[in-house]
Amino acid sequence: MEHIVEARGLTKSYGTVRALAGLDLVARRGRVAAVLGPNGAGKTTFVRAVATLVQPDGGSLRVAGFDVVRQPAHVRRVIGLAGQSAAVEDAMTGRENLEMVGRLFGLDRAAARAATTAVLDQLQLGADADRLVRTYSGGMRRRLDLGASLVGSPRLLLLDEPTTGLDPRSRIELWDAIRAMVAGGTDVLLTTQYLEEADQLAADIVIIDQGRVIAEGTPSELKSRAGRDVIEVHARDRAALPLVAEALRGLGGEPRVEIATRRVAITVDTGTDRLMDAVRALDSRGIDIEDIALRRPTLDEVFLTLTGKPVDTAEPQDRRRHPAA
Amino acid sequence: MTATTTVATRPGAGLAPSAVAVALRTIRKFVRTPQLIVVGTIQGALFLLIFRYVFGGSIGVGGLPYVDFLVPGFVTTTILFAGTGAAAGVAEDVEHGFFDRLRSLPIPRLSVMAGRSLADTALLGFTLAVTTAIGFAVGFRVHTDLAASLAAFGLCVVYGFAFEWMFITMGLVARNAQAAQGLSMIVFPLTFVSSAYVPVATMPSWMRPFAENQPITVMVDAVRCLTQGSRVEALLPHHTAYYVGMSLLWTVALIAAFAPVAIARFSHR
């Protein structure tokens, strides 16, 4: 079996909202797959379907070869889930939390204890293992939650927006923890709203919107289609915007002008070279600017480039809390 | 191939061990959150004192001191007030994704509900014991024998287990703690429009049919008969056996009504 997750024409509706609208998605063995999309794209619904928490309306979904609808018990023996909120018990220590989950995975007391110690060390929580979780920071809680999904050594780890709401340092720590797990041979399917996160962690990226796949590929494939970097010029006054756009034209993609913030952005392939070109072009035209910056494209910009339309922010949010979920 | 070996190494826990793991967590949470215990105990004690000394003076129950009438009712209704906490706890587990994790694990889904209800019932036993002790402290006395009193206490625990399924269902439906507290308002008509604090005969005639026939009234009357004997039986239309039997029927009915709903709701995808 080559695919750890295989979704074909997957559909799921909540009332009139189509969370999944014929999703085709394949995650390969031995690789980290990232499902990237805006709020309401269907990411969470998809992960919940893979985790057997949500029953799809139509299509097929196989996890490690097992059908999620007909063989949910088999699927549950293969997966580990870390959802959006850290589902750890505040009134227990980190160690007690993991031992409990280990026991639920069917490990005997000694095995649960050993697995817990190994996971705590792996996530660098060993020193805090015997403190109550209510004294943990947000980043530590997320890492412990990750540990809870790991303690049963799942074949496939499901991470739903693992770093949402974390500060940059905790985010990087969590990324390191995820990379360490991947090195240990666990397959990972993660969802994220951040292109950078997908780029950092995943070998394959699937971009979804409104319950459908709109683009997929390796990070470098997607970046070469969407532009690797963005040059953004902040003009000193509004009247200069057309001149700025004109100066940047030809360096990369079509300049996008945002009048309200007095900014012009273009996507480019080789950031630093083009940045020099942009500075020269602006200088030779005598255009006065507030500042100029080189940055990574945001998900919105990737969307715009790949689909020609902006992220529809008016779309309702994913229904994260389905009945009894 | 890989799938089969993976399955072999992660069989998942059985019903009893997973129920124990879930129950242990609920109990640890209670024991390690002292404000829950202290606030709950103080609140219960205050209400008992208010009824006993503020309202009690003007409530005539005929044939026995008000404190002997009140304490069985007060202890029995403690079940409902403690249950609202359980509903909120279940709603929190839904809200914070804890139940999602449990539902993604290879364990019988019944075990989560079984663990929760047993743990909450055990905690309720503690609360009932504390409330009973306060009752004795303010002058309550048993006028039957030890066996009947222990049976009364045991009945309260059994009622608590039955109502627990109603509160779990409410928590699962509410899905957040605040909504669960809202739904818990149902405990007010159940407790106050009953024989718990005042004789039902003093209520207006339109209210009496509900008051006389709802489960709390028969449960309270069973506990009252078992602890006060003939002094209370003289005031009631039926004998002790009738109230005990009826209250047990209600217990079965509550479990039959709510346990399947709670389990289905929890397992629903």
Side-chain angles (χ1 to χ4, degrees), chain A residues 32-44 46-47 82 84 142 158-165 171 174-175 178 188-202 204-209 222 299-300 303 318 320:
Chain A
V32 178
V35 178
L36 179 64
N39 268 333
K43 304 185 298 290
T44 294
F46 177 63
V47 168
Q84 282 185 9
R142 283 294 182 93
L158 302 168
L159 307 175
D160 192 14
E161 301 198 10
T163 66
T164 297
R171 169 167 296 170
L174 202 72
W175 284 349
I178 294 170
V188 177
L189 176 73
L190 67 95
T191 73
T192 179
Q193 294 188 48
Y194 309 111
L195 184 62
E196 190 194 1
E197 184 159 284
D199 187 17
Q200 286 280 334
L201 297 174
D204 299 302
I205 300 178
V206 181
I207 302 181
I208 71 171
D209 188 33
L222 287 176
L299 177 59
D300 295 26
F303 251 70
D318 269 6
R320 294 181 207 290

Side-chain angles (χ1 to χ4, degrees), chain A residues 55-312:
Chain A
Q55 179 119 30
D57 296 334
S60 75
L61 177 57
R62 299 183 82 79
V63 177
F66 299 115
D67 187 291
V68 294
V69 176
R70 280 177 289 129
Q71 302 164 289
H74 288 91
V75 173
R76 285 177 205 135
R77 292 190 187 120
V78 180
I79 58 164
L81 170 69
Q84 282 185 9
S85 48
V88 287
E89 174 53 61
D90 273 357
M92 298 187 348
T93 66
R95 189 183 305 280
E96 286 169 345
N97 265 285
L98 297 197
E99 281 180 5
M100 174 183 73
V101 177
R103 294 284 283 155
L104 292 171
F105 271 125
L107 304 177
D108 64 34
R109 207 170 296 271
R113 204 166 288 165
T116 294
T117 303
V119 168
L120 286 168
D121 288 344
Q122 188 184 343
L123 295 175
Q124 290 170 6
L125 286 169
D128 304 294
D130 297 309
R131 270 170 47 199
L132 292 185
V133 172
R134 63 166 73 112
T135 67
Y136 280 24
S137 68
M140 288 163 72
R141 293 169 64 95
R142 283 294 182 93
R143 264 186 288 156
L144 184 66
D145 191 51
L146 193 62
S149 59
L150 267 180
V151 74
S153 324
R155 185 79 193 81
L156 169 66
L157 194 64
L158 302 168
L159 307 175
D160 192 14
E161 301 198 10
T163 66
T164 297
L166 289 187
D167 59 81
R169 192 175 140 226
S170 304
R171 169 167 296 170
I172 288 167
E173 283 173 358
L174 202 72
W175 284 349
D176 289 341
I178 294 170
R179 284 197 199 95
M181 276 158 16
V182 173
T186 311
D187 290 336
V188 177
L189 176 73
L190 67 95
T191 73
T192 179
Q193 294 188 48
Y194 309 111
L195 184 62
E196 190 194 1
E197 184 159 284
D199 187 17
Q200 286 280 334
L201 297 174
D204 299 302
I205 300 178
V206 181
I207 302 181
I208 71 171
D209 188 33
Q210 298 185 8
R212 260 182 239 277
V213 173
I214 58 170
E216 56 190 312
T218 63
S220 59
E221 281 166 6
L222 287 176
K223 278 189 280 188
S224 62
R225 282 168 64 189
R228 266 167 215 284
D229 294 298
V230 172
I231 294 175
E232 191 172 72
V233 177
H234 189 178
R236 190 151 280 174
D237 100 67
R238 209 164 267 189
L241 288 173
L243 297 172
V244 172
E246 193 48 46
L248 297 180
R249 182 158 289 138
L251 296 177
E254 185 63 16
R256 289 191 309 279
V257 181
E258 213 180 277
I259 295 167
T261 58
R262 305 198 309 273
R263 285 172 204 274
V264 181
I266 59 164
T267 53
V268 295
D269 293 332
T270 46
T272 39
D273 293 354
R274 293 289 94 81
L275 184 63
M276 298 301 288
D277 294 343
V279 172
R280 278 188 214 106
L282 291 164
D283 192 43
S284 69
R285 284 169 169 78
I287 303 169
D288 219 8
I289 61 166
E290 193 78 35
D291 61 56
I292 180 165
L294 181 67
R295 60 168 174 78
R296 298 292 196 88
T298 63
L299 177 59
D300 295 26
E301 285 162 337
V302 172
F303 251 70
L304 195 65
T305 315
L306 291 175
T307 68
K309 66 180 181 67
V311 170
D312 185 0

Side-chain angles (χ1 to χ4, degrees), chain B residues 32 37 56 74 123 130 151 162 186 196 201 210 225 251 256:
Chain B
R32 290 178 189 175
I37 304 171
F74 194 90
L123 297 177
V130 171
I186 191 183
F210 172 77
C225 286
T251 306

Side-chain angles (χ1 to χ4, degrees), chain A residues 76-77 105 321 324, chain B residues 10 32 101 109 175 265:
Chain A
R76 285 177 205 135
R77 292 190 187 120
F105 271 125
R321 305 274 172 242
Chain B
R10 297 178 71 212
R32 290 178 189 175
R101 158 142 306 134
R109 305 220 157 171
R175 297 192 277 162
R265 187 88 193 178

